[in-house]
Amino acid sequence: MWATGEAYEPYVGRWSRLVADRFVRETAAPGGGRWLDVGCGTGAVTRAVLDLARPAAVVGVDPSRGYVDYARRHIVDRRARFVLADATRLPFPDATASVAVSGLVLNFVPDPARAAAELARVVVPGGRVGVYVWDYGQGGMEAIRAFWDAAVALDGEARTRDEGTRFPLCAPGPLGELLAGAGLEDVEVEEIRVPTAFADFDDYWTPFLGGQGPAPAYLSQLPGEHRAELRERLRAALPRAADGSIPLHARAWAARARRRAD
């Protein structure tokens, strides 16, 4: 499902960069630190850290070789490197990062509590941990919410594939509790809302054909006639501006905390 950076970028990557910039700015970590970006994907958070946080070094970690290769090709800053690894088994000693972050990943980790514990483990005492996820459950990720609403209207079984149903973590309470449960303190949760305007319907629809993520994976399995019916239902349901663009928004929930000082 998560393998091709070139397909991910037009689907969600272009919006994840907007959130990453806001998230890194508001994390407000001192310059010169060592950052760990867990579930780095195509490198949105790593790029934001390099551009905005004045780090000494950033290590991006992802289990997808395709995404790691993409990040290596597109981020050539000498302060950054990328490694293949799982969020629940980070290949780093205890207390080696100043800041550990994870963007748009924890919903897709089979054991998010274990991943949060790993984030807490690798930061130094007093170090910062930050995570954020799309709000699938409360309609905050409007582009994907519209897709599943249309899909479920045509096929009730699609409800079991809907991120809003599958991912209870994507709300303020559960996200904050995740970090507190990892033994972190001073937990804060905030909303990050960004515009996701599509130039036209093709700009909205075509990225769903790339196979990256639950909605595109579901779409790829539909018969051609069913797929066409879903496309036309979406075409009729989405809002349109006078110039034909589709003005939507996306909301992420971000949580930040601190490892207890020794």
Side-chain angles (χ1 to χ4, degrees):
M1 185 184 299
W2 306 109
T4 307
E6 287 78 7
Y8 174 82
E9 281 298 306
Y11 175 52
V12 176
R14 52 181 162 170
W15 316 125
S16 67
R17 289 194 296 274
L18 300 178
V19 179
D21 285 356
R22 284 270 306 277
F23 174 76
V24 169
R25 286 184 192 278
E26 294 169 17
T27 297
R34 300 181 63 83
W35 287 63
L36 183 62
D37 176 11
V38 177
C40 65
T42 57
V45 175
T46 296
R47 170 58 67 194
V49 171
L50 292 168
D51 290 345
L52 302 171
R54 298 179 291 110
V58 189
V59 180
V61 176
D62 202 277
S64 167
R65 181 172 296 278
Y67 281 13
V68 166
D69 288 346
Y70 184 98
R72 285 172 175 162
R73 288 195 306 271
H74 289 83
I75 299 178
V76 295
D77 191 303
R78 292 183 179 181
R79 295 171 294 171
R81 67 184 179 93
F82 299 93
V83 298
L84 281 166
D86 188 294
T88 61
R89 295 185 298 275
L90 296 175
F92 308 109
D94 295 356
T96 52
S98 309
V99 186
V101 295
S102 182
L104 307 180
V105 172
L106 291 178
N107 283 319
F108 300 97
V109 176
D111 188 349
R114 178 60 187 161
E118 282 288 272
L119 291 170
R121 178 184 67 80
V122 298
V123 296
V124 298
R128 299 275 280 169
V129 171
V131 301
Y132 63 93
V133 294
W134 290 126
D135 174 7
Y136 296 115
Q138 299 179 47
M141 188 28 155
E142 293 176 350
I144 294 177
R145 182 72 267 137
F147 176 93
W148 287 118
D149 287 348
V152 170
L154 293 171
D155 171 19
E157 294 299 316
R159 192 178 305 279
T160 63
R161 308 283 291 274
D162 181 345
E163 284 110 311
T165 301
R166 293 171 54 200
F167 299 142
L169 185 62
C170 57
L175 194 61
E177 291 163 8
L178 181 75
L179 296 191
L184 296 164
E185 60 183 15
D186 300 330
V187 178
E188 298 178 347
V189 181
E190 67 167 355
E191 175 191 73
I192 300 178
R193 182 176 168 86
V194 297
T196 58
F198 297 86
D200 52 28
F201 182 75
D202 285 344
D203 187 34
Y204 170 87
W205 175 255
T206 302
F208 282 97
L209 305 178
Q212 302 298 290
Y218 169 80
L219 185 65
S220 71
Q221 299 169 9
L222 293 180
E225 183 176 334
H226 191 159
R227 187 182 307 177
E229 189 176 1
L230 175 56
R231 182 186 64 231
E232 294 312 308
R233 180 177 284 265
L234 277 164
R235 191 193 300 274
L238 288 166
R240 297 293 181 94
D243 62 359
S245 64
I246 299 173
L248 300 177
H249 290 81
R251 176 170 62 201
W253 294 110
R256 297 181 184 83
R258 191 178 305 277
R259 179 174 170 177
R260 189 172 292 108
D262 291 343

mmCIF file of all heavy atoms in Angstrom, residues 208-228:
data_model
loop_
_atom_site.group_PDB
_atom_site.id
_atom_site.type_symbol
_atom_site.label_atom_id
_atom_site.label_comp_id
_atom_site.label_asym_id
_atom_site.label_seq_id
_atom_site.Cartn_x
_atom_site.Cartn_y
_atom_site.Cartn_z
ATOM 1 N N PHE A 208 -6.167 9.244 -6.718
ATOM 2 C CA PHE A 208 -6.754 8.042 -6.137
ATOM 3 C C PHE A 208 -6.435 6.800 -6.975
ATOM 4 O O PHE A 208 -6.613 5.673 -6.500
ATOM 5 C CB PHE A 208 -8.270 8.186 -6.015
ATOM 6 C CG PHE A 208 -8.722 9.013 -4.852
ATOM 7 C CD1 PHE A 208 -9.041 10.354 -5.010
ATOM 8 C CD2 PHE A 208 -8.824 8.462 -3.580
ATOM 9 C CE1 PHE A 208 -9.450 11.129 -3.937
ATOM 10 C CE2 PHE A 208 -9.235 9.232 -2.499
ATOM 11 C CZ PHE A 208 -9.550 10.572 -2.677
ATOM 12 N N LEU A 209 -5.971 6.984 -8.191
ATOM 13 C CA LEU A 209 -5.652 5.851 -9.059
ATOM 14 C C LEU A 209 -4.247 5.322 -8.826
ATOM 15 O O LEU A 209 -3.834 4.340 -9.446
ATOM 16 C CB LEU A 209 -5.797 6.272 -10.526
ATOM 17 C CG LEU A 209 -7.159 6.866 -10.925
ATOM 18 C CD1 LEU A 209 -7.145 7.273 -12.389
ATOM 19 C CD2 LEU A 209 -8.286 5.885 -10.640
ATOM 20 N N GLY A 210 -3.489 5.953 -7.909
ATOM 21 C CA GLY A 210 -2.088 5.580 -7.705
ATOM 22 C C GLY A 210 -1.849 4.431 -6.749
ATOM 23 O O GLY A 210 -0.714 3.972 -6.608
ATOM 24 N N GLY A 211 -2.884 3.965 -6.055
ATOM 25 C CA GLY A 211 -2.733 2.790 -5.195
ATOM 26 C C GLY A 211 -2.086 3.028 -3.851
ATOM 27 O O GLY A 211 -1.819 2.063 -3.128
ATOM 28 N N GLN A 212 -1.832 4.293 -3.461
ATOM 29 C CA GLN A 212 -1.133 4.568 -2.206
ATOM 30 C C GLN A 212 -2.120 4.934 -1.106
ATOM 31 O O GLN A 212 -2.663 6.035 -1.090
ATOM 32 C CB GLN A 212 -0.131 5.705 -2.403
ATOM 33 C CG GLN A 212 0.892 5.437 -3.481
ATOM 34 C CD GLN A 212 1.762 4.232 -3.153
ATOM 35 O OE1 GLN A 212 2.577 4.281 -2.248
ATOM 36 N NE2 GLN A 212 1.593 3.169 -3.894
ATOM 37 N N GLY A 213 -2.377 4.029 -0.174
ATOM 38 C CA GLY A 213 -3.288 4.299 0.922
ATOM 39 C C GLY A 213 -4.568 3.491 0.826
ATOM 40 O O GLY A 213 -4.869 2.889 -0.218
ATOM 41 N N PRO A 214 -5.360 3.448 1.901
ATOM 42 C CA PRO A 214 -6.562 2.618 1.921
ATOM 43 C C PRO A 214 -7.584 2.951 0.846
ATOM 44 O O PRO A 214 -8.151 2.047 0.222
ATOM 45 C CB PRO A 214 -7.124 2.878 3.329
ATOM 46 C CG PRO A 214 -5.930 3.222 4.144
ATOM 47 C CD PRO A 214 -5.052 4.020 3.227
ATOM 48 N N ALA A 215 -7.879 4.232 0.623
ATOM 49 C CA ALA A 215 -8.886 4.584 -0.377
ATOM 50 C C ALA A 215 -8.441 4.195 -1.791
ATOM 51 O O ALA A 215 -9.196 3.544 -2.525
ATOM 52 C CB ALA A 215 -9.222 6.071 -0.290
ATOM 53 N N PRO A 216 -7.241 4.568 -2.230
ATOM 54 C CA PRO A 216 -6.803 4.122 -3.546
ATOM 55 C C PRO A 216 -6.694 2.599 -3.670
ATOM 56 O O PRO A 216 -6.974 2.040 -4.739
ATOM 57 C CB PRO A 216 -5.428 4.784 -3.694
ATOM 58 C CG PRO A 216 -5.541 6.027 -2.869
ATOM 59 C CD PRO A 216 -6.334 5.587 -1.679
ATOM 60 N N ALA A 217 -6.303 1.920 -2.579
ATOM 61 C CA ALA A 217 -6.233 0.455 -2.633
ATOM 62 C C ALA A 217 -7.618 -0.143 -2.827
ATOM 63 O O ALA A 217 -7.803 -1.095 -3.605
ATOM 64 C CB ALA A 217 -5.589 -0.081 -1.359
ATOM 65 N N TYR A 218 -8.613 0.414 -2.134
ATOM 66 C CA TYR A 218 -9.993 -0.039 -2.321
ATOM 67 C C TYR A 218 -10.447 0.221 -3.757
ATOM 68 O O TYR A 218 -11.042 -0.661 -4.407
ATOM 69 C CB TYR A 218 -10.899 0.693 -1.336
ATOM 70 C CG TYR A 218 -12.376 0.516 -1.604
ATOM 71 C CD1 TYR A 218 -13.044 -0.636 -1.208
ATOM 72 C CD2 TYR A 218 -13.098 1.516 -2.269
ATOM 73 C CE1 TYR A 218 -14.395 -0.793 -1.466
ATOM 74 C CE2 TYR A 218 -14.452 1.359 -2.516
ATOM 75 C CZ TYR A 218 -15.096 0.204 -2.120
ATOM 76 O OH TYR A 218 -16.438 0.040 -2.386
ATOM 77 N N LEU A 219 -10.156 1.393 -4.265
ATOM 78 C CA LEU A 219 -10.576 1.754 -5.621
ATOM 79 C C LEU A 219 -9.975 0.808 -6.660
ATOM 80 O O LEU A 219 -10.642 0.416 -7.627
ATOM 81 C CB LEU A 219 -10.156 3.192 -5.922
ATOM 82 C CG LEU A 219 -10.611 3.780 -7.255
ATOM 83 C CD1 LEU A 219 -12.126 3.907 -7.300
ATOM 84 C CD2 LEU A 219 -9.954 5.144 -7.474
ATOM 85 N N SER A 220 -8.724 0.412 -6.452
ATOM 86 C CA SER A 220 -8.045 -0.438 -7.436
ATOM 87 C C SER A 220 -8.681 -1.816 -7.559
ATOM 88 O O SER A 220 -8.499 -2.502 -8.569
ATOM 89 C CB SER A 220 -6.563 -0.584 -7.052
ATOM 90 O OG SER A 220 -6.413 -1.387 -5.896
ATOM 91 N N GLN A 221 -9.445 -2.219 -6.546
ATOM 92 C CA GLN A 221 -10.070 -3.544 -6.556
ATOM 93 C C GLN A 221 -11.486 -3.536 -7.121
ATOM 94 O O GLN A 221 -12.086 -4.593 -7.281
ATOM 95 C CB GLN A 221 -10.088 -4.110 -5.134
ATOM 96 C CG GLN A 221 -8.706 -4.292 -4.529
ATOM 97 C CD GLN A 221 -8.743 -4.596 -3.046
ATOM 98 O OE1 GLN A 221 -9.802 -4.836 -2.474
ATOM 99 N NE2 GLN A 221 -7.585 -4.598 -2.412
ATOM 100 N N LEU A 222 -12.009 -2.362 -7.430
ATOM 101 C CA LEU A 222 -13.386 -2.277 -7.917
ATOM 102 C C LEU A 222 -13.466 -2.628 -9.404
ATOM 103 O O LEU A 222 -12.561 -2.284 -10.180
ATOM 104 C CB LEU A 222 -13.928 -0.863 -7.720
ATOM 105 C CG LEU A 222 -14.136 -0.373 -6.291
ATOM 106 C CD1 LEU A 222 -14.681 1.053 -6.307
ATOM 107 C CD2 LEU A 222 -15.071 -1.296 -5.522
ATOM 108 N N PRO A 223 -14.540 -3.260 -9.829
ATOM 109 C CA PRO A 223 -14.779 -3.441 -11.264
ATOM 110 C C PRO A 223 -14.910 -2.083 -11.948
ATOM 111 O O PRO A 223 -15.313 -1.092 -11.325
ATOM 112 C CB PRO A 223 -16.094 -4.215 -11.325
ATOM 113 C CG PRO A 223 -16.380 -4.667 -9.949
ATOM 114 C CD PRO A 223 -15.605 -3.817 -9.000
ATOM 115 N N GLY A 224 -14.624 -2.033 -13.227
ATOM 116 C CA GLY A 224 -14.622 -0.767 -13.955
ATOM 117 C C GLY A 224 -15.929 -0.008 -13.865
ATOM 118 O O GLY A 224 -15.942 1.218 -13.686
ATOM 119 N N GLU A 225 -17.062 -0.702 -13.965
ATOM 120 C CA GLU A 225 -18.363 -0.033 -13.934
ATOM 121 C C GLU A 225 -18.624 0.586 -12.565
ATOM 122 O O GLU A 225 -19.123 1.714 -12.466
ATOM 123 C CB GLU A 225 -19.466 -1.038 -14.261
ATOM 124 C CG GLU A 225 -20.860 -0.429 -14.318
ATOM 125 C CD GLU A 225 -21.916 -1.455 -14.737
ATOM 126 O OE1 GLU A 225 -21.556 -2.430 -15.433
ATOM 127 O OE2 GLU A 225 -23.084 -1.260 -14.355
ATOM 128 N N HIS A 226 -18.275 -0.141 -11.499
ATOM 129 C CA HIS A 226 -18.457 0.367 -10.144
ATOM 130 C C HIS A 226 -17.537 1.570 -9.902
ATOM 131 O O HIS A 226 -17.939 2.561 -9.289
ATOM 132 C CB HIS A 226 -18.160 -0.750 -9.144
ATOM 133 C CG HIS A 226 -18.559 -0.441 -7.735
ATOM 134 N ND1 HIS A 226 -18.774 -1.413 -6.797
ATOM 135 C CD2 HIS A 226 -18.759 0.742 -7.091
ATOM 136 C CE1 HIS A 226 -19.095 -0.848 -5.649
ATOM 137 N NE2 HIS A 226 -19.091 0.452 -5.801
ATOM 138 N N ARG A 227 -16.322 1.480 -10.408
ATOM 139 C CA ARG A 227 -15.375 2.591 -10.247
ATOM 140 C C ARG A 227 -15.916 3.847 -10.939
ATOM 141 O O ARG A 227 -15.838 4.956 -10.406
ATOM 142 C CB ARG A 227 -14.023 2.202 -10.836
ATOM 143 C CG ARG A 227 -12.926 3.218 -10.561
ATOM 144 C CD ARG A 227 -11.625 2.793 -11.211
ATOM 145 N NE ARG A 227 -11.242 1.441 -10.855
ATOM 146 C CZ ARG A 227 -10.171 0.819 -11.333
ATOM 147 N NH1 ARG A 227 -9.390 1.441 -12.201
ATOM 148 N NH2 ARG A 227 -9.879 -0.399 -10.951
ATOM 149 N N ALA A 228 -16.465 3.683 -12.145
ATOM 150 C CA ALA A 228 -17.012 4.829 -12.875
ATOM 151 C C ALA A 228 -18.201 5.432 -12.142
ATOM 152 O O ALA A 228 -18.367 6.659 -12.095
ATOM 153 C CB ALA A 228 -17.423 4.396 -14.282
#
